[in-house]
């Protein structure tokens, strides 16, 4: 990993192959209230990193009218955007939340990345990862947006350049990134089920076994989020159960990306992995209590860390 002096501000490069423009309709006193934001997994990770005091540079392809609006919104938030021009438009969606629940009206998928655009994005991300405190790999919104093997190459090359590589991936992209080698993998139990790494009737001990397999497949450390249940973490060869406070949910979406950002912030600051996981769990918990995706204020998150309990395995602690 890159060595930094205590006075240097941590900097993280974030890879997002398919950022998206989000349009959400809320209701204020019965009147429609329309919100536009830059979105996508990489954007949400970068947003939380900034809130936690870590500089984030988002590496992404930008194209079309949606891309023009998206990039302007991202920069307005303070996200540093390192982009490549794409002939295809960025994706977008429109959600209606006036009923209190999200209803999707329209979802426009992003254009697949052409070879030349992908080559430029790959080189751009490697350049930003050089000297960075950490590099984060996030996945595509649509299957087939880019070859899965891209993640194997990125993971291996970023580690060769000295960056700690954190991945929040699923499916083929996850498998490929493991083959390249990861510092830490964060994945949800739901994603492991959806992609056949866990059965539908898997119990907690099956999730633990899956975490050890993921470690053996190429991740130095593994964190599996489990919704309202304790997260499972294999850190430095030791099993941990991470219990966070169960706050009343306003919107569960974005909690996993906030968790990834919190863990990455801890790694980027060279904190012990157990502290990094506590920060990630706290960030995810605060996000759940808010309506915005991957939002939350740093002061609340840092105060909530004391409410996060890490207990060592090997079996699920009785709660």
């Amino acid at each position: 990993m890159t060595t930094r002096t205590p006075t240097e501000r941590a900097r993280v490069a974030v890879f997002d192959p398919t950022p998206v423009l989000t349009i959400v309709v809320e209701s204020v006193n019965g009147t429609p209230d329309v919100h536009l934001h830059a979105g996508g997994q990489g954007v949400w990770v970068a947003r939380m990193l900034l809130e936690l005091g870590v500089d984030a540079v988002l590496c992404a392809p930008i194209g079309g009218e949606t891309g023009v609006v998206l990039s302007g919104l991202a920069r307005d938030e303070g996200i540093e955007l390192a982009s490549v021009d794409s002939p295809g438009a960025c994706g977008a969606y429109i959600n209606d939340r006036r009923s209190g629940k999200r209803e999707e009206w329209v979802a426009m998928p992003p254009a697949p990345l052409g070879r030349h655009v992908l080559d430029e994005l790959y080189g751009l991300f490697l350049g930003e990862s050089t000297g960075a405190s950490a590099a984060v790999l996030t996945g595509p919104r649509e299957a087939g947006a880019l070859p899965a093997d891209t993640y194997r190459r990125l993971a291996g090359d970023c580690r060769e350049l000295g960056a700690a590589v954190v991945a929040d991936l699923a499916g083929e992209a996850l498998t490929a990134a493991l083959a390249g080698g990861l510092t830490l993998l964060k994945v949800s139990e739901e994603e492991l089920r959806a992609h056949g790494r866990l059965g539908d009737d898997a119990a907690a001990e099956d999730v633990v076994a899956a975490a050890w397999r993921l470690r053996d497949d190429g991740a130095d450390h593994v964190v599996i989020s489990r919704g309202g249940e304790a997260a499972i973490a294999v850190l430095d060869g030791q099993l941990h159960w991470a219990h966070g406070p169960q706050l009343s949910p306003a919107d569960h979406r974005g909690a996993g990306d906030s968790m990834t950002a919190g863990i990455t912030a801890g790694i980027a600051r060279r904190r012990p992995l157990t502290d990094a996981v506590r920060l990630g769990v706290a960030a995810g918990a605060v996000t759940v209590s808010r309506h915005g995706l991957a939002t939350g204020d740093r002061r609340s998150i840092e105060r909530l860390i004391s409410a996060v309990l890490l207990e060592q395995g090997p079996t699920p602690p009785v709660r």
Side-chain angles (χ1 to χ4, degrees), residues 204-261:
E205 55 266 29
D206 299 312
V207 185
V208 170
W212 286 110
R213 287 195 298 271
L214 291 166
R215 200 281 300 262
D216 293 341
D217 286 345
D220 296 343
H221 316 284
V222 177
V223 178
I224 301 178
S225 60
R226 303 172 60 229
E229 301 296 325
I232 291 169
V234 174
L235 310 174
D236 292 321
Q238 174 66 55
L239 176 65
H240 299 265
W241 299 82
H243 303 269
Q246 299 303 305
L247 305 182
S248 299
D251 190 341
H252 71 279
R253 296 179 61 190
D257 300 320
S258 291
M259 185 178 188
T260 298

Side-chain angles (χ1 to χ4, degrees), residues 175-186:
T175 301
L178 287 170
L182 298 171
T183 304
L184 184 140
L185 170 68
K186 184 269 169 188

Side-chain angles (χ1 to χ4, degrees), residues 229-313:
E229 301 296 325
I232 291 169
V234 174
L235 310 174
D236 292 321
Q238 174 66 55
L239 176 65
H240 299 265
W241 299 82
H243 303 269
Q246 299 303 305
L247 305 182
S248 299
D251 190 341
H252 71 279
R253 296 179 61 190
D257 300 320
S258 291
M259 185 178 188
T260 298
I263 294 170
T264 303
I267 291 173
R269 293 194 181 112
R270 311 287 288 177
R271 302 300 301 159
L273 285 168
T274 51
D275 289 352
V277 170
R278 286 190 180 95
L279 177 57
V281 171
V286 169
T287 293
V288 165
S289 71
R290 299 167 63 97
H291 286 95
L293 298 185
T295 61
D297 67 284
R298 181 177 179 178
R299 185 177 181 183
S300 295
I301 291 169
E302 291 181 343
R303 286 188 170 184
L304 209 64
I305 292 173
S306 62
V308 178
L309 175 65
L310 251 66
E311 295 182 291
Q312 291 191 358

